[in-house]
Amino acid sequence: MENLPAKTNFIREIIDADNASGKFGGRVHTRFPPEPNGYLHIGHATSIIMNSGLARDYKGKFNLRFDDTNPAKEEQEYVDSIIEDVKWLGGDFEDRLFFASDYFQQMYDWAMELVKKGKAYVCDLNADEMRAYRGSPSEPGRNSPFRDRTPAENAGLFERMKNGEFPDGSRTLRAKIDMAHPNINMRDPAMYRIIHTSHHRQGDKWCIYPMYDWAHGLEDSIEQITHSICTLEFADHRPLYDWFIDSLGIYHPQQIEFARRTISNMVTSKRKLLELVKDKHVEGWDDPRMPTVCGLRRRGYTASALRAFCDDAGISKVPGISDIWVLENALRNELNKSAPRAMAVLKPVKVVLTNYPEGQVEEMTCNNNPEDPAAGTRKVPFSRELYIEQDDFKEVPPKKFFRMTPGQEVRLRAAYIVKCEGVKKDAAGNITEVHCTYDPATKGGDAPDGRKIKGTIHWVSAKHAVPARVRLYDALFTKRNPDDLEEGHDFKENMNPNSLEAIERAMLEPSLKDAAPGSRWQFERLGYFFADPKESQPGTPVFNRTVTLKDTWAKIEQKA
Ligand code: ATP
Ligand code: MG
């Protein structure tokens, strides 16, 4: 991993101040605490990159901890994918992979301690009644009729809850704080509920499960986290975490809130992403159009480009939308330096060089990467019949069309200057061949007499061409903020109907035939492409376009 000096931000300033005051003895210990109920997305990636980056830069530690306190929604598939994604992003948790469910006994013991101190009670109100008693932001709540049970009675009931004597939803354990507190989170929040459901790691050992607000701060405390970084919606929960931790008198991490990362033309909510997958709007969690970490990976994103993006976009206390082109630019900048060049024709039309000897093949020398002198050159075969892009030929050219058109010279990249002499059409009037002559004195592409040739186009020798499937992607959502909806509308209405263009028979230069699955290339003039790690195989390559060569967002009219 690169060790560029990290830009400072308000979180680093807090850590610097804590280190200066000796608050945590100079220790920095962060964590990423996902709930294993979905695949990670670009927002989570931000959190992983930030938390693990802080640990790295301050020579501290970073934990991966599954917040698996809800038995109903969690699956091993999600656990596995999250571990893979965190590692891929460079989140180095070493041997510190934890599961909150392993702390259930400790949490229970602490809850019992609060019960015995008179700070928690068993309540028999059902969910609806609890809601009614809670009041509203403008009105205080009312005390539960069960609030004044004695500690001894509560201890007995809580133990019986744990032992499975009561049905789901019949009782809760609640903190005894203040039903008139201006912060609703402090109005005797539930700590435990009864759920007779097996847990993915604990099996049937437990039938009471801790609420997120009770569990989360304890998990951080148990792991001796110093800076517990979370998104803004938890700011109002911080007083409650503090109350729990201080009531128990246990180690106290510092919570810091920052604004969620939101990116234009994407949705980043697990629920919505799950809906796209379940209802088959996309091909799966790792569909290259998805903002999931596995989707971005399959699109051809690199972890280093995502880190560069996070560094560039920074961390904020104020919610806002980052532009998708900033993300794409981070990738372009990297691939421009690292991706070898190759020629591919996505929508081919055949060109015949009528004065080129039949059967002759020349090897043209092409630069592998002008940005990287060490990348060297390669030989690309050239012959009488070639493919060029349909778009690079116009029988009737618009103004300032410098590519191939009758009577005009154009350069074939690294090969020859050619001139179009006419076309051959089928009975329906479709162009089947473009006929050109080549100038044998221009091998390599330059005219010895110095005449100016304005256009240069790419090509592939027809008889050497490798047919391949290529997929072009556009944003999954046309609207800048797909979640900005009027009453009664659904975010899926903002989906882009043209987000995928599948090309069945593109023509590639022969060097791409055995492209390693997972390799990245620049197809000249077309963009950066990724040999699909699942479907591509040496001999039968399949490519995904990761990103176009230039930023096209400026040209796209976006619905506000
Ligand atoms: P979602 O809202 O999509 O369901 P979540 O926040 O419930 O996501 P968790 O598994 O609880 O998902 O998130 C794990 C961590 O990732 C949390 O610490 C959370 O603050 C952080 N996180 C989630 N979404 C974002 C985001 N968009 N930007 C930055 N951090 C995020
Ligand atoms: Mg969450």
Side-chain angles (χ1 to χ4, degrees):
M1 200 184 293
E2 280 179 274
N3 258 319
L4 298 172
K7 275 200 233 170
T8 193
N9 57 44
F10 77 96
I11 295 178
R12 286 174 187 265
E13 282 163 13
I14 292 171
I15 294 176
D16 289 338
D18 288 346
N19 283 350
S21 72
K23 181 167 175 184
F24 296 106
R27 262 183 342 111
V28 173
H29 199 151
T30 59
R31 87 292 180 255
F32 176 66
E35 224 179 308
N37 61 354
Y39 280 65
L40 299 183
H41 55 60
I42 179 91
H44 299 115
T46 303
S47 176
I48 294 161
I49 288 169
M50 175 181 54
N51 279 295
S52 63
L54 290 170
R56 183 194 61 221
D57 293 347
Y58 286 94
K59 308 221 177 327
K61 289 179 180 161
F62 166 72
N63 293 2
L64 173 59
R65 178 208 313 142
F66 285 99
D67 210 323
D68 58 347
T69 51
N70 183 348
K73 288 191 289 183
E74 290 148 6
E75 289 177 33
Q76 190 62 36
E77 177 194 352
Y78 299 136
V79 170
D80 295 340
S81 76
I82 290 170
I83 292 174
E84 182 185 1
D85 289 350
V86 172
K87 286 186 176 165
W88 180 74
L89 286 165
D92 187 5
F93 52 87
E94 300 173 302
D95 58 351
R96 289 180 305 281
L97 167 62
F98 299 118
F99 290 84
S101 54
D102 290 339
Y103 310 146
F104 279 173
Q105 184 64 46
Q106 173 72 78
M107 290 176 187
Y108 175 80
D109 292 344
W110 275 333
M112 193 53 105
E113 196 179 319
L114 293 189
V115 166
K116 289 179 178 162
K117 284 183 178 168
K119 286 176 180 281
Y121 62 97
V122 173
C123 181
D124 303 358
L125 295 180
N126 64 32
D128 287 337
E129 291 163 335
M130 257 179 90
R131 212 168 296 122
Y133 273 77
R134 192 178 296 136
S136 71
S138 54
E139 264 177 285
R142 284 176 292 139
N143 284 352
S144 159
F146 306 97
R147 200 173 196 260
D148 294 320
R149 282 176 165 157
T150 63
E153 187 185 359
N154 283 318
L157 285 170
F158 185 44
E159 193 178 349
R160 290 174 62 200
M161 274 171 67
K162 184 194 74 154
N163 292 341
E165 293 186 29
F166 308 120
D168 285 7
S170 58
R171 289 190 156 98
T172 54
L173 183 75
R174 300 176 68 176
K176 193 170 180 177
I177 308 179
D178 179 1
M179 287 307 292
H181 202 286
N183 180 343
I184 290 191
N185 294 308
M186 301 294 275
R187 294 184 188 169
D188 292 10
M191 295 163 61
Y192 277 92
R193 61 237 201 270
I194 302 172
I195 309 177
H196 289 268
T197 296
S198 294
H199 185 275
H200 77 129
R201 284 173 63 85
Q202 299 289 328
D204 292 322
K205 185 161 176 221
W206 296 90
C207 63
I208 55 169
Y209 287 95
M211 300 297 290
Y212 184 87
D213 278 349
W214 161 244
H216 196 78
L218 305 182
E219 296 161 18
D220 285 337
S221 180
I222 290 169
E223 293 176 18
Q224 302 270 307
I225 298 303
T226 56
H227 300 87
S228 164
I229 303 167
C230 62
T231 43
L232 289 176
E233 69 272 23
F234 294 104
D236 287 346
H237 299 242
R238 175 151 41 100
L240 177 57
Y241 303 160
D242 289 347
W243 188 90
F244 284 136
I245 283 174
D246 293 339
S247 299
L248 291 165
I250 57 178
Y251 169 82
H252 199 146
Q254 174 65 54
Q255 175 168 306
I256 306 171
E257 303 91 14
F258 73 106
R260 270 173 186 268
R261 163 85 60 226
T262 318
I263 297 184
S264 65
N265 304 78
M266 290 186 176
V267 297
T268 43
S269 140
K270 280 188 217 162
R271 183 182 59 75
K272 288 179 181 164
L273 296 177
L274 179 63
E275 196 178 326
L276 294 180
V277 173
K278 283 235 161 100
D279 298 345
K280 302 210 176 341
H281 296 284
V282 292
E283 281 156 29
W285 287 102
D286 67 348
D287 186 306
R289 293 167 292 178
M290 288 282 273
T292 48
V293 174
C294 55
L296 293 165
R297 182 161 64 230
R298 197 161 166 209
R299 177 79 167 256
Y301 269 82
T302 61
S304 45
L306 292 175
R307 288 195 296 266
F309 164 71
C310 287
D311 218 36
D312 198 35
I315 294 295
S316 175
K317 281 189 240 195
V318 188
I321 299 181
S322 305
D323 287 304
I324 192 169
W325 55 261
V326 179
L327 176 64
E328 294 185 347
N329 263 340
L331 186 62
R332 253 183 220 114
N333 288 341
E334 177 178 318
L335 295 180
N336 182 38
K337 293 183 202 110
S338 60
R341 274 48 169 174
M343 289 195 282
V345 175
L346 300 185
K347 293 173 189 168
V349 60
K350 192 176 260 187
V351 169
V352 180
L353 304 178
T354 53
N355 62 338
Y356 194 89
E358 301 240 15
Q360 177 171 306
V361 178
E362 289 178 89
E363 299 284 332
M364 299 302 178
T365 303
C366 295
N367 212 335
N368 282 337
N369 187 349
E371 301 288 322
D372 176 7
T377 58
R378 72 187 182 287
K379 301 283 189 204
V380 181
F382 183 88
S383 66
R384 190 170 195 266
E385 297 196 353
L386 310 167
Y387 292 116
I388 67 163
E389 298 289 347
Q390 289 167 14
D391 276 356
D392 282 336
F393 174 78
K394 290 268 185 297
E395 194 175 12
V396 182
K399 267 193 195 151
K400 297 200 175 173
F401 185 78
F402 300 121
R403 290 170 276 165
M404 190 177 283
T405 188
Q408 179 167 289
E409 284 192 313
V410 65
R411 179 184 297 106
L412 297 178
R413 163 78 92 213
Y416 288 106
I417 295 169
V418 301
K419 185 180 195 172
C420 174
E421 310 285 356
V423 296
K424 200 165 141 186
K425 295 186 182 176
D426 64 15
N430 300 312
I431 294 170
T432 52
E433 283 177 6
V434 180
H435 288 184
C436 294
T437 52
Y438 84 112
D439 179 350
T442 59
K443 186 163 180 183
D446 288 319
D449 61 3
R451 68 185 189 273
K452 282 264 179 303
I453 305 295
K454 283 200 172 152
T456 300
I457 62 176
H458 61 275
W459 52 271
V460 171
S461 167
K463 78 168 160 207
H464 302 94
V466 178
R469 283 162 57 213
V470 174
R471 296 173 291 214
L472 308 181
Y473 301 105
D474 200 348
L476 203 47
F477 293 90
T478 50
K479 202 168 170 178
R480 180 174 160 78
N481 179 2
D483 293 319
D484 176 20
L485 295 169
E486 282 175 24
E487 188 77 23
H489 287 267
D490 183 90
F491 77 102
K492 296 192 294 307
E493 291 168 33
N494 292 320
M495 287 191 82
N496 178 1
N498 304 313
S499 57
L500 168 63
E501 181 181 356
I503 296 172
E504 291 306 319
R505 239 179 118 74
M507 293 294 177
L508 315 181
E509 69 166 67
S511 72
L512 290 169
K513 184 170 183 193
D514 294 321
S519 58
R520 297 179 175 81
W521 304 82
Q522 184 195 98
F523 290 180
E524 295 212 25
R525 301 176 63 229
L526 299 172
Y528 295 98
F529 289 76
F530 184 55
D532 190 285
K534 270 192 182 167
E535 293 176 37
S536 193
Q537 285 185 12
T540 52
V542 179
F543 283 96
N544 302 331
R545 179 154 70 188
T546 307
V547 66
T548 52
L549 275 190
K550 292 195 189 106
D551 178 8
T552 49
W553 284 94
K555 285 188 226 133
I556 293 171
E557 220 181 300
Q558 289 192 58
K559 284 196 270 164

